[in-house]
Amino acid sequence: MSEKGFLENGFIIDLSNAKSAADIILELSDILDLPDAKGKNICLKLNDIDLNKSQIMSINSLISSMGSTLAFVSTNSNTTKDSAESLDIKISELKNEIEVQELDESTPEADEEDNEYSTQSYETLDYEDLEEEEEENEIEELKEAEILLEDLGELDEITVEVSDEEALTETVSYPSYSEDDELEEEKPMEEKEEEKEKSENEDTSKLPTLYLRQNLRSGQTMSYDGNILLVGDTNPGSEIIAKGDITVWGVLGGIAHAGARGNETATIRALKLNAIQLRISGCYARRPDTDNIPYIQRSNQFIPEEAMIENNEIIIHKINEID
Amino acid sequence: MSGRVIVITSGKGGVGKTTTSANIGTALAKAGQKVVLIDTDIGLRNLDLLLGLENRIVYTIVDVVEERCKLKQALVKDKKNPNLNLLAAAQTRDKSALSQEHLKSICDELKEEYDFILVDCPAGIEQGFQNAVAGATEAIVVTTPEMSAVRDADRIIGLLEAKEEIESYKLLLNRVRPSMIQSNDMMSVEDVVDILSCGLIGIIPEDTGIITSTNKGEPIVNDEKALAGMAYQNVAKRILGEEVEFLNLEEPKSFVEKIKNFFTKLFGKEQG
């Protein structure tokens, strides 16, 4: 249970009952999902819980991916204080009483808790206002980059960042990064539909391409707002999702989704197409049951194949059969 | 209608929870019951492989709780038996993607329409276990006749007893090797039952067929000749309230004896 306070464009989230970093992230993603929680300067109220630097970093990136900023942290734990300070996050004391406006969801008891919020945090929030405008621009950019895929429900796997070095590393999410999966959040429907029209059937050769040399193992997801060229294998249980084409120089054994934002001209090609499922735009094809052997049959004689949409169905050609 | 929600758990990994879930689920479906298998092992899903349904999964349980799809859409029908449905786990997430409330509400919703909801529990006693147990009212504790597995089963039974929602729990002894028991190299069924003082719902013999069946994605109950398959079928019958004698697992020495054994078993079953 957590109470939510509202301070002009600041936003206090009380997570003093949280027992672990996972609790915090779970609660936070729920709260930040509320329509009122976008573009706010967040003050996190934590009690005695000890958080290390990387935990705070992941909380911070969760908040920023939801379109808000982690302005400061209020805590009794020295460990948390130290790690927050090392990340340049301000520490708030939350002592004085200030009347706080409530969100619809707050419980009546929230009043008492809210009264503890301090003038100090209030002032700091004002200071943070200056950055607000910049912040909003950024959020709009992010929204524009949102993707559409409600048919297959893969939406939140696709990262919002486009084409800068940092985004490239972030697009690969390993199981241990599970919080990252929650980072990408769904945006309202209208935006998605507009976006769909824009990106439909765009020439994939004009999109940026992510070049990677690695294997993708079970549970790992790679998503990119452009084409993906992977030198290596993808194993069953992995997912590879691209706005444009997917090319695997190796065995494609997991799930591959090309044209994930609705581009039907996207293609998937691999030295060995052994995918559990192929998805292009809204079309979907699965591996025949007869071949449904859970291990990849390695072979020295790969037959390069390419999958594309023809008459609303996914068709697989041998590469040398295409003119 | 209110179906039964049974969690299949063990504490220790590798004792055969998933194999047991797949086989009991298939056996119950073959007996005409409407069954849903829920895989709660998020991040390390296997149940879909054992059933050979890996290539059909579009939505997972995490998509259901995060409301990207309806519960109905996420149920994958079995290739052979339309009574059998799978609610798969997500592979690219971890256990924190689910909570006990999620499981409870999913089980409550499924109960309305299905006779049996079998929850395949992940190994361990942490959040994954707590989630899996949350919606269940009955439990099957899987163990093998090894000290470590029995210890862990004991721990699990303690945890299950502490849960008010769990009305009954039964023991399933897996990978029993009668020849090793005879030569005093393995704990006997009686030893295990003694230690755990828990009602027995099945004894499954060690069977190399399990490995092939896993690789093929075809539960061993579909193989009428396999001893392990028969044992699982009997477990399903006991779940349905029939009284079935435990299989005679003593390995017959000659081919003729094997056949003789098979017929006496068949005969015995008809009488029971």
PDB file of all heavy atoms in Angstrom, chain B residues 193-206:
ATOM      1  N   VAL B 193       7.200 -42.695   2.701  1.00  0.00           N
ATOM      2  CA  VAL B 193       5.893 -42.382   3.281  1.00  0.00           C
ATOM      3  C   VAL B 193       6.028 -42.242   4.799  1.00  0.00           C
ATOM      4  O   VAL B 193       5.400 -41.371   5.410  1.00  0.00           O
ATOM      5  CB  VAL B 193       4.868 -43.469   2.895  1.00  0.00           C
ATOM      6  CG1 VAL B 193       3.567 -43.262   3.639  1.00  0.00           C
ATOM      7  CG2 VAL B 193       4.624 -43.438   1.407  1.00  0.00           C
ATOM      8  N   ASP B 194       6.864 -43.071   5.391  1.00  0.00           N
ATOM      9  CA  ASP B 194       7.112 -43.003   6.826  1.00  0.00           C
ATOM     10  C   ASP B 194       7.677 -41.651   7.238  1.00  0.00           C
ATOM     11  O   ASP B 194       7.225 -41.029   8.184  1.00  0.00           O
ATOM     12  CB  ASP B 194       8.118 -44.094   7.221  1.00  0.00           C
ATOM     13  CG  ASP B 194       7.429 -45.205   7.982  1.00  0.00           C
ATOM     14  OD1 ASP B 194       6.174 -45.249   7.891  1.00  0.00           O
ATOM     15  OD2 ASP B 194       8.124 -45.999   8.640  1.00  0.00           O
ATOM     16  N   ILE B 195       8.703 -41.243   6.510  1.00  0.00           N
ATOM     17  CA  ILE B 195       9.373 -39.990   6.848  1.00  0.00           C
ATOM     18  C   ILE B 195       8.414 -38.812   6.692  1.00  0.00           C
ATOM     19  O   ILE B 195       8.354 -37.917   7.533  1.00  0.00           O
ATOM     20  CB  ILE B 195      10.604 -39.773   5.947  1.00  0.00           C
ATOM     21  CG1 ILE B 195      11.649 -40.843   6.222  1.00  0.00           C
ATOM     22  CG2 ILE B 195      11.206 -38.385   6.163  1.00  0.00           C
ATOM     23  CD1 ILE B 195      12.797 -40.846   5.242  1.00  0.00           C
ATOM     24  N   LEU B 196       7.657 -38.822   5.613  1.00  0.00           N
ATOM     25  CA  LEU B 196       6.830 -37.659   5.305  1.00  0.00           C
ATOM     26  C   LEU B 196       5.426 -37.755   5.897  1.00  0.00           C
ATOM     27  O   LEU B 196       4.706 -36.766   5.937  1.00  0.00           O
ATOM     28  CB  LEU B 196       6.742 -37.463   3.791  1.00  0.00           C
ATOM     29  CG  LEU B 196       8.074 -37.161   3.097  1.00  0.00           C
ATOM     30  CD1 LEU B 196       7.903 -37.112   1.591  1.00  0.00           C
ATOM     31  CD2 LEU B 196       8.641 -35.832   3.581  1.00  0.00           C
ATOM     32  N   SER B 197       5.045 -38.927   6.362  1.00  0.00           N
ATOM     33  CA  SER B 197       3.689 -39.224   6.847  1.00  0.00           C
ATOM     34  C   SER B 197       2.641 -38.419   6.088  1.00  0.00           C
ATOM     35  O   SER B 197       2.047 -37.469   6.590  1.00  0.00           O
ATOM     36  CB  SER B 197       3.554 -38.988   8.354  1.00  0.00           C
ATOM     37  OG  SER B 197       3.995 -37.723   8.707  1.00  0.00           O
ATOM     38  N   CYS B 198       2.471 -38.868   4.866  1.00  0.00           N
ATOM     39  CA  CYS B 198       1.623 -38.141   3.925  1.00  0.00           C
ATOM     40  C   CYS B 198       0.988 -39.163   2.997  1.00  0.00           C
ATOM     41  O   CYS B 198       1.632 -40.152   2.635  1.00  0.00           O
ATOM     42  CB  CYS B 198       2.512 -37.169   3.146  1.00  0.00           C
ATOM     43  SG  CYS B 198       1.676 -36.296   1.845  1.00  0.00           S
ATOM     44  N   GLY B 199      -0.273 -38.963   2.648  1.00  0.00           N
ATOM     45  CA  GLY B 199      -0.980 -39.906   1.774  1.00  0.00           C
ATOM     46  C   GLY B 199      -0.330 -39.990   0.401  1.00  0.00           C
ATOM     47  O   GLY B 199       0.149 -38.996  -0.122  1.00  0.00           O
ATOM     48  N   LEU B 200      -0.312 -41.198  -0.160  1.00  0.00           N
ATOM     49  CA  LEU B 200       0.371 -41.418  -1.435  1.00  0.00           C
ATOM     50  C   LEU B 200      -0.661 -41.394  -2.564  1.00  0.00           C
ATOM     51  O   LEU B 200      -1.716 -42.015  -2.463  1.00  0.00           O
ATOM     52  CB  LEU B 200       1.053 -42.781  -1.364  1.00  0.00           C
ATOM     53  CG  LEU B 200       2.221 -43.069  -2.281  1.00  0.00           C
ATOM     54  CD1 LEU B 200       3.328 -42.053  -2.093  1.00  0.00           C
ATOM     55  CD2 LEU B 200       2.736 -44.473  -2.010  1.00  0.00           C
ATOM     56  N   ILE B 201      -0.361 -40.662  -3.630  1.00  0.00           N
ATOM     57  CA  ILE B 201      -1.299 -40.659  -4.755  1.00  0.00           C
ATOM     58  C   ILE B 201      -0.729 -41.379  -5.970  1.00  0.00           C
ATOM     59  O   ILE B 201      -1.460 -41.722  -6.892  1.00  0.00           O
ATOM     60  CB  ILE B 201      -1.729 -39.219  -5.127  1.00  0.00           C
ATOM     61  CG1 ILE B 201      -3.017 -39.262  -5.948  1.00  0.00           C
ATOM     62  CG2 ILE B 201      -0.630 -38.468  -5.850  1.00  0.00           C
ATOM     63  CD1 ILE B 201      -3.793 -38.009  -5.931  1.00  0.00           C
ATOM     64  N   GLY B 202       0.564 -41.674  -5.944  1.00  0.00           N
ATOM     65  CA  GLY B 202       1.109 -42.396  -7.080  1.00  0.00           C
ATOM     66  C   GLY B 202       2.567 -42.765  -6.903  1.00  0.00           C
ATOM     67  O   GLY B 202       3.308 -42.092  -6.192  1.00  0.00           O
ATOM     68  N   ILE B 203       2.941 -43.877  -7.538  1.00  0.00           N
ATOM     69  CA  ILE B 203       4.344 -44.291  -7.579  1.00  0.00           C
ATOM     70  C   ILE B 203       4.701 -44.435  -9.047  1.00  0.00           C
ATOM     71  O   ILE B 203       4.077 -45.210  -9.766  1.00  0.00           O
ATOM     72  CB  ILE B 203       4.554 -45.637  -6.862  1.00  0.00           C
ATOM     73  CG1 ILE B 203       4.020 -45.561  -5.432  1.00  0.00           C
ATOM     74  CG2 ILE B 203       6.012 -46.027  -6.866  1.00  0.00           C
ATOM     75  CD1 ILE B 203       3.876 -46.922  -4.791  1.00  0.00           C
ATOM     76  N   ILE B 204       5.660 -43.654  -9.499  1.00  0.00           N
ATOM     77  CA  ILE B 204       6.015 -43.675 -10.919  1.00  0.00           C
ATOM     78  C   ILE B 204       7.396 -44.314 -11.050  1.00  0.00           C
ATOM     79  O   ILE B 204       8.350 -43.848 -10.432  1.00  0.00           O
ATOM     80  CB  ILE B 204       6.068 -42.240 -11.500  1.00  0.00           C
ATOM     81  CG1 ILE B 204       4.879 -41.407 -11.036  1.00  0.00           C
ATOM     82  CG2 ILE B 204       6.194 -42.295 -13.014  1.00  0.00           C
ATOM     83  CD1 ILE B 204       3.549 -41.815 -11.540  1.00  0.00           C
ATOM     84  N   PRO B 205       7.487 -45.370 -11.843  1.00  0.00           N
ATOM     85  CA  PRO B 205       8.801 -45.999 -12.011  1.00  0.00           C
ATOM     86  C   PRO B 205       9.716 -45.161 -12.907  1.00  0.00           C
ATOM     87  O   PRO B 205       9.241 -44.408 -13.757  1.00  0.00           O
ATOM     88  CB  PRO B 205       8.461 -47.318 -12.700  1.00  0.00           C
ATOM     89  CG  PRO B 205       7.195 -47.047 -13.428  1.00  0.00           C
ATOM     90  CD  PRO B 205       6.443 -46.041 -12.616  1.00  0.00           C
ATOM     91  N   GLU B 206      10.992 -45.293 -12.686  1.00  0.00           N
ATOM     92  CA  GLU B 206      11.977 -44.678 -13.585  1.00  0.00           C
ATOM     93  C   GLU B 206      11.767 -45.273 -14.974  1.00  0.00           C
ATOM     94  O   GLU B 206      11.597 -46.472 -15.116  1.00  0.00           O
ATOM     95  CB  GLU B 206      13.384 -45.017 -13.064  1.00  0.00           C
ATOM     96  CG  GLU B 206      14.494 -44.606 -13.972  1.00  0.00           C
ATOM     97  CD  GLU B 206      15.075 -43.253 -13.576  1.00  0.00           C
ATOM     98  OE1 GLU B 206      14.861 -42.829 -12.442  1.00  0.00           O
ATOM     99  OE2 GLU B 206      15.733 -42.650 -14.418  1.00  0.00           O
TER     100      GLU B 206
END
